[in-house]
Amino acid sequence: MLRVALFRPFLRLFVLIFLALEAVSPIVCQSPTQTNIQAPENPSDKMNPSMDMGMNMGGSAQTLTENVLRHTTSGTSLEPSSTAPPMLMQMHRDWMLMLHGQASVVEQQQTGPRGHDKLFSANWIMPMAQRNFGSSEITLRAMLSLEPATISGRYYPELFQQGETAFGKPIVDGQHPHNLFMELAALYDYKPGEQTVLSLYAAPVGDPSLGPVAFPHRASAAEDPLAPLGHHLEDSTHIAYEVLTGGLTWHKIHLEASGFHGREPGENRWIIAVGGLDSWSTRLTVAPTRDWSAQYSVGHLHSPEAQHPSEDVLRQTASISYHHGWHSNSLDALALWGRNHTIDSPTNANGYLFEAIAHLHDRHSIWTRIENVDRTTDLLGASAPLEETVIGRVQAFTGGYAHHLYSNRWSVYELGAQGTLYNTPLPLHTLYGDHPAGVAAVLNIHLGK
């Protein structure tokens, strides 16, 4: 039974945030560093035409090469060129300065023998600076998160979720927080021709060329605060260490290869870990039109999970993403497949995902996520065998709605809720029940408009 009393801290927190923002927004909005770029009135202040990709940061791109040069997603992954991510921008001398981010305050409640409740916040922020030198472009980017502080107990509840550890034990029915340093990266691009770009990405912590855009940064998942159940089959390498990626973009094709450290982050979420380049990946992205993008990637991960240190994984992913906007409406959707094959074993785990979100009249957000995901014996906890094997496949059906509450020149606030219904595989019925469910009240805050 859902406990209404647990929503009171959430509502009190929302009221405090709203009142504080009402008080400071007039001051913030008057600050020139918080406004979008305006066309320069003085002709001598106009930018070099080679900087048009920087001017396009807050809007859609016309070609795949322009989309690559925006660098608005995690690592070097790409969404459709027509996607227009919300972002604050300002020119400072020859540098384009940008800020992108969001935060969700969530009251999560779940049913069933393994269901738990928690109030937590999922959040991240991405400052970025970009400068052009003739046919070259340099981008400096960071992604930071306060989740190590805003998610207590080293994870938040999510039925059937698994991956990584907390207090030395595998996380079961929960999702770990992201690290303080999600990304620290430098990118160099050289444009020898109108439809050709050569790229180099280097990051002590970053995202190699494996999988689609990571779920915290995907337009199709912008309102859903929970990680997909297939996260560790699809895009969990979005926080990896010692990442080096080279890329070639030609017309509608983008080809990349990466070397990186394969072990996933440890439990100390406040540090940057170190490790050798022991893993590799490669990714092919094709963009037939501005509204469509597809990728296929494959990678060899050396000892990714701490609880199975002797297991290497071959990961494959394939996805198709779509964006279309009309008047004050937009639609983003993603279909995704991910597979982990444990090398030197017969174990294969597959995950299938479809998610979509519609923004209507700048007032309403409606979203869904549907998953069909293999789960392993790690869900058995202390009774799990040493060798991880697939125990069954879980279906999860999520629907949500949020209403626009308030906005100013630098942020948007939405309040809503979502619900998830699970279908339990037969071997796990005694642990979870037939159809456990979860509901969440969500306050979403987005930087930019």
Side-chain angles (χ1 to χ4, degrees):
M1 180 178 180
L2 301 182
R3 297 188 296 275
V4 177
L6 287 177
F7 286 89
R8 293 174 183 169
F10 173 82
L11 294 174
R12 285 198 295 268
L13 180 60
F14 162 69
V15 171
L16 290 174
I17 292 174
F18 183 79
L19 292 176
L21 289 168
E22 281 285 358
V24 304
S25 59
I27 301 173
V28 174
C29 292
Q30 292 173 6
S31 171
T33 61
Q34 299 291 339
T35 60
N36 289 336
I37 297 173
Q38 303 295 325
E41 296 181 359
N42 187 343
S44 64
D45 293 335
K46 291 183 179 179
M47 294 182 296
N48 187 296
S50 65
M51 296 187 69
D52 59 352
M53 54 284 231
M55 284 293 291
N56 196 42
M57 290 296 297
S60 62
Q62 297 300 315
T63 64
L64 178 60
T65 54
E66 290 181 5
N67 192 18
V68 168
L69 291 165
R70 291 193 301 174
H71 296 304
T72 56
T73 60
S74 56
T76 55
S77 55
L78 295 172
E79 293 199 285
S81 298
S82 60
T83 306
M87 187 173 290
L88 302 173
M89 301 179 295
Q90 168 103 29
M91 282 299 299
H92 180 70
R93 297 181 180 177
D94 294 326
W95 287 89
M96 171 76 77
L97 305 180
M98 291 147 283
L99 188 64
H100 184 194
Q102 65 181 64
S104 298
V105 182
V106 186
E107 170 58 37
Q108 167 84 323
Q109 300 191 6
Q110 299 178 320
T111 68
R114 286 195 169 188
H116 294 283
D117 309 328
K118 180 175 282 190
L119 175 67
F120 65 94
S121 172
N123 53 80
W124 60 272
I125 192 168
M126 183 184 79
M128 183 162 63
Q130 195 171 74
R131 180 174 179 175
N132 290 83
F133 300 88
S135 298
S136 299
E137 177 184 88
I138 291 178
T139 303
L140 304 176
R141 188 174 67 200
M143 292 187 190
L144 309 171
S145 175
L146 290 177
E147 289 183 12
T150 60
I151 297 177
S152 61
R154 301 187 184 180
Y155 69 91
Y156 62 77
E158 185 174 12
L159 286 170
F160 297 103
Q161 184 63 286
Q162 59 184 114
E164 301 196 21
T165 62
F167 304 104
K169 297 180 180 180
I171 296 175
V172 175
D173 301 316
Q175 171 64 29
H176 60 81
H178 290 112
N179 290 32
L180 170 63
F181 298 102
M182 299 174 68
E183 182 180 45
L184 294 173
L187 303 96
Y188 173 77
D189 299 284
Y190 174 66
K191 192 175 181 182
E194 187 64 27
Q195 298 295 324
T196 305
V197 176
L198 300 174
S199 304
L200 180 64
Y201 171 91
V205 54
D207 187 354
S209 55
L210 182 58
V213 175
F215 78 90
H217 313 286
R218 287 200 297 259
S220 57
E223 306 292 342
D224 189 336
L226 304 184
L229 294 181
H231 175 48
H232 286 265
L233 304 172
E234 300 156 353
D235 58 359
S236 63
T237 54
H238 74 108
I239 300 179
Y241 298 114
E242 300 188 14
V243 182
L244 289 174
T245 301
L248 168 64
T249 308
W250 183 72
H251 290 267
K252 298 181 179 182
I253 296 174
H254 184 55
L255 181 63
E256 306 164 90
S258 298
F260 58 99
H261 185 59
R263 176 61 63 89
E264 293 187 350
E267 293 186 33
N268 188 342
R269 304 288 174 177
W270 300 99
I271 65 171
I272 298 176
V274 295
L277 273 69
D278 53 17
S279 303
W280 59 265
S281 65
T282 184
R283 178 170 58 201
L284 173 65
T285 303
V286 178
T289 70
R290 294 179 62 245
D291 285 353
W292 291 91
S293 179
Q295 68 85 28
Y296 170 77
S297 56
V298 59
H300 181 283
L301 309 180
H302 176 66
S303 186
E305 292 283 354
Q307 65 265 34
H308 302 287
S310 62
E311 295 181 356
D312 285 9
V313 169
L314 182 69
R315 178 172 297 170
Q316 298 179 74
T317 79
S319 63
I320 299 175
S321 53
Y322 175 77
H323 169 86
H324 185 69
W326 67 101
H327 304 297
S328 58
N329 309 303
S330 66
L331 174 66
D332 292 277
L334 174 78
L336 170 62
W337 164 72
R339 179 187 185 186
N340 280 354
H341 167 66
T342 303
I343 297 175
D344 296 328
S345 87
T347 301
N348 294 306
N350 290 275
Y352 303 88
L353 173 147
F354 173 79
E355 63 186 18
I357 182 169
H359 298 285
L360 305 176
H361 306 296
D362 295 328
R363 304 295 299 179
H364 312 279
S365 297
I366 303 171
W367 65 91
T368 186
R369 176 182 287 161
I370 302 171
E371 291 193 83
N372 192 5
V373 185
D374 286 333
R375 299 290 78 179
T376 72
T377 47
D378 280 351
L379 287 181
L380 301 178
S383 61
L386 293 178
E387 183 177 346
E388 184 182 23
T389 59
V390 172
I391 194 173
R393 182 167 287 181
V394 173
Q395 290 82 42
F397 307 90
T398 298
Y401 168 81
H403 183 73
H404 176 278
L405 290 177
Y406 170 78
S407 63
N408 52 38
R409 294 172 64 185
W410 62 278
S411 56
V412 175
Y413 303 82
E414 298 173 322
L415 185 64
Q418 70 175 40
T420 302
L421 180 66
Y422 301 91
N423 185 26
T424 307
L426 185 60
L428 297 174
H429 274 193
T430 57
L431 295 176
Y432 292 90
D434 291 343
H435 299 289
V439 297
V442 184
L443 169 66
N444 285 326
I445 304 171
H446 302 274
L447 289 183
K449 296 180 68 175

